[in-house]
Amino acid sequence: MPMLLYNTLIRKKESFSPLNHEDVRLYVCGPTVYDFAHIGNARPYVIFDILSRLLRGLYKKVTYVRNITDIDDKIIMAARENGEEIYDLTQRTTEHFRQDMKALGNIPPDVEPLATAHVGEMISLIESLIAKGFAYESDGHVLFSVKSFPQYGQLSRCNHDEMIAGARVEVAPYKRNPEDFILWKPSTEGLPGWASPWGWGRPGWHIECSAMSLKYLGETFDIHGGGGKILFSLIMKMN
């Protein structure tokens, strides 16, 4: 009997057939470590832990990658409110997350990359997006041009007007269009940052998983998982 998985793109179950039967590749968007996890945060990790176990019973090898987002504006704000260094906050909350997952019986992923350890890969990917016309630099920011990629929003079934109306869309003078979102932002004094072709700054959260999944699983892989609230931000592979 074939294994059936729900395909969010087509909104129905279909038979699962991996790209490579010798190595099934699974990427799951991990936590942003600025506070303790609650039970709702744990839901996708429990689900994909169960799925990874099932896959390991069916296939010779499974590569399960789940990242840790340890650079984000929420982290910066939480560290300020707590009066602690960002690194101390992310180290503490990452360890709490790992212990929580262990208490729930989850098996650790095969690879658990930190976003801060892969900023170089993010910069390279952003440069590639600019070169292909999918992104642009403006006032020290780099933004993804939503209109340059008509398939954007297919997973969430959102049109451009609905995305503009979304709470996470920021209207700013450096944007060509309101729905465009930040891939790289400038960092002022006292904020974490890295040297880049666009000045001292830090990545936007949209680009992190793309860069890490590309490094560890390649341009195409079998399953991309995460919480339902991030569906609007997932972009299918670009040619």
Side-chain angles (χ1 to χ4, degrees), residues 188-232:
T188 56
E189 184 177 354
L191 293 178
W194 290 260
S196 81
W198 319 286
W200 187 256
R202 60 194 190 277
W205 68 272
H206 296 81
I207 197 66
E208 294 177 357
C209 285
S210 297
M212 289 182 279
S213 63
L214 178 64
K215 177 173 182 177
Y216 293 102
L217 298 177
E219 290 189 359
T220 56
F221 51 93
D222 298 292
I223 300 170
H224 193 305
K229 67 180 181 180
I230 66 169
L231 281 179
F232 78 95

Side-chain angles (χ1 to χ4, degrees), residues 140-161:
H141 299 75
V142 180
L143 298 104
F144 184 85
S145 175
V146 169
K147 289 184 177 179
S148 72
F149 191 66
Q151 298 96 320
Y152 186 82
Q154 280 190 355
L155 284 177
S156 61
R157 302 288 174 89
C158 288
N159 60 39
H160 286 182
D161 291 338

Side-chain angles (χ1 to χ4, degrees):
M1 177 181 292
M3 183 172 72
L4 300 178
L5 292 180
Y6 183 78
N7 185 331
T8 304
L9 181 63
I10 62 175
R11 297 296 198 273
K12 66 179 183 180
K13 296 178 183 179
E14 63 178 358
S15 296
F16 175 69
S17 179
L19 298 168
N20 178 1
H21 286 258
E22 299 297 312
D23 185 9
V24 179
R25 289 164 291 166
L26 166 66
Y27 187 95
V28 174
C29 294
T32 300
V33 286
Y34 66 96
D35 203 347
F36 296 110
H38 56 68
I39 193 65
N41 298 139
R43 181 179 181 273
Y45 308 127
V46 171
I47 290 173
F48 288 105
D49 176 72
I50 294 171
L51 177 58
S52 70
R53 292 169 186 259
L54 176 59
L55 291 170
R56 291 182 198 281
L58 296 174
Y59 297 97
K60 182 177 180 180
K61 179 183 178 183
V62 173
T63 303
Y64 177 16
V65 181
R66 187 185 68 208
N67 72 290
I68 297 288
T69 294
D70 57 346
I71 177 65
D72 183 84
D73 288 351
K74 290 182 179 179
I75 294 172
I76 295 171
M77 292 176 61
R80 284 177 174 174
E81 292 174 358
N82 296 344
E84 63 182 321
E85 296 295 324
I86 290 173
Y87 178 78
D88 294 334
L89 171 63
T90 57
Q91 283 287 99
R92 175 169 54 81
T93 50
T94 296
E95 184 55 32
H96 278 301
F97 171 78
R98 289 170 176 163
Q99 291 303 316
D100 287 343
M101 294 305 102
K102 182 178 180 180
L104 289 169
N106 286 7
I107 298 173
D110 299 294
V111 186
E112 192 177 52
L114 298 176
T116 52
H118 296 80
V119 175
E121 287 86 352
M122 297 174 203
I123 291 173
S124 296
L125 183 54
I126 293 170
E127 288 180 313
S128 176
L129 289 171
I130 293 174
K132 294 178 180 179
F134 293 113
Y136 60 94
E137 190 274 337
S138 176
D139 194 22
H141 299 75
V142 180
L143 298 104
F144 184 85
S145 175
V146 169
K147 289 184 177 179
S148 72
F149 191 66
Q151 298 96 320
Y152 186 82
Q154 280 190 355
L155 284 177
S156 61
R157 302 288 174 89
C158 288
N159 60 39
H160 286 182
D161 291 338
E162 290 171 336
M163 287 187 282
I164 292 172
R168 301 193 73 166
V169 174
E170 176 191 1
V171 178
Y174 50 78
K175 291 185 175 185
R176 292 179 183 172
N177 298 290
E179 68 267 34
D180 296 347
F181 55 83
I182 294 174
L183 301 177
W184 187 265
K185 63 180 69 177
S187 288
T188 56
E189 184 177 354
L191 293 178
W194 290 260
S196 81
W198 319 286
W200 187 256
R202 60 194 190 277
W205 68 272
H206 296 81
I207 197 66
E208 294 177 357
C209 285
S210 297
M212 289 182 279
S213 63
L214 178 64
K215 177 173 182 177
Y216 293 102
L217 298 177
E219 290 189 359
T220 56
F221 51 93
D222 298 292
I223 300 170
H224 193 305
K229 67 180 181 180
I230 66 169
L231 281 179
F232 78 95
S233 69
L234 298 181
I235 303 173
M236 293 179 293
K237 177 181 177 292
M238 299 174 189
N239 295 324

